[in-house]
Amino acid sequence: MAEAERIIGTPDTPDATGGGEERPDSEGTPAGEATGQPRGRRRIAVLFAVAAFAYALDLISKLIVVAKLEHHPPIEIIGDWLKFEAIRNAGAAFGFGEAFTVIFTMIAAAVIVVIARLARKLYSLPWAIALGLLLGGALGNLTDRIFRAPGVFEGAVVDFIAPKHFAVFNLADSAIVCGGILIVLLSFKGLDPDGTVHKD
């Protein structure tokens, strides 16, 4: 819990351990200097550009799958090892937890809110990419939850990528997983969203 609070922090207040001084970023520039603000805005722009790209890819792929593949036989891409097969998934990513659709919808919405809050102190390009992938993936599946049958906040997500001996998933799931892996790697390296590097 303490680690999460340290990463998210409070964007509008000075670091409690810094005696009111602003923390320098990884390049030695205080985050609040005039040169830091445009850089922060550029990182936010990257975040939303990555999110928009991931969301658009996911949305377009699902529209094509519903129109061309649903109610049709699967399409073999690499023999039996990889197929495209339209599946409606009421659970979480990769088909888990179908009895908790509304809960997963709320979690996706909460993730979007947290990312939006975290973006206010974003100065790291890798973090911008990672959070953009998470945001785009969360928005992609949340769109299905809201607008697809059987109803609002209970909609089934369209999955179609079906590897052999693995759960069927979609591009939004892939974006979420890639973003999550990148965040873990950045955390291990000690790089924070505000661009600072810490050593435990």
Side-chain angles (χ1 to χ4, degrees):
M1 188 66 184
E3 178 70 10
E5 290 177 354
R6 181 188 60 75
I7 291 177
I8 295 176
T10 304
D12 299 327
T13 59
D15 191 338
T17 62
E21 297 180 358
E22 294 175 340
R23 299 171 64 191
D25 61 19
S26 57
E27 299 174 357
T29 304
E33 285 189 1
T35 57
Q37 295 302 329
R39 189 165 66 92
R41 286 194 290 269
R42 288 195 295 270
R43 298 300 184 256
I44 294 174
V46 169
L47 186 158
F48 286 111
V50 171
F53 182 72
Y55 177 73
L57 282 183
D58 180 67
L59 182 62
I60 292 170
S61 67
K62 288 173 178 175
L63 290 174
I64 295 173
V65 166
V66 170
K68 303 295 185 180
L69 190 57
E70 200 166 37
H71 309 304
H72 289 80
I75 298 176
E76 293 187 353
I77 305 301
I78 308 177
D80 291 336
W81 291 97
L82 179 63
K83 299 179 181 180
F84 285 168
E85 180 179 6
I87 299 291
R88 295 294 182 117
N89 171 24
F94 308 111
F96 298 115
E98 294 189 6
F100 303 98
T101 305
V102 175
I103 294 176
F104 291 131
T105 303
M106 296 173 62
I107 291 174
V111 167
I112 293 170
V113 171
V114 170
I115 292 174
R117 180 171 180 259
L118 189 57
R120 296 164 58 192
K121 59 173 291 184
L122 185 63
Y123 289 90
S124 166
L125 179 59
W127 269 94
I129 295 172
L131 293 176
L133 289 171
L134 281 180
L135 180 59
L139 285 171
N141 283 339
L142 184 60
T143 299
D144 283 359
R145 301 291 188 199
I146 294 174
F147 295 106
R148 296 194 187 277
V152 178
F153 301 123
E154 296 181 351
V157 173
V158 176
D159 290 336
F160 63 94
I161 304 173
K164 188 175 183 180
H165 305 310
F166 196 73
V168 184
F169 59 97
N170 57 42
L171 294 182
D173 297 332
S174 300
I176 291 170
V177 170
C178 290
I181 291 174
L182 182 53
I183 286 175
V184 171
L185 293 176
L186 293 173
S187 299
F188 272 119
K189 291 182 65 176
L191 180 61
D192 288 344
D194 62 1
T196 58
V197 179
H198 70 276
K199 295 181 180 180
D200 294 331

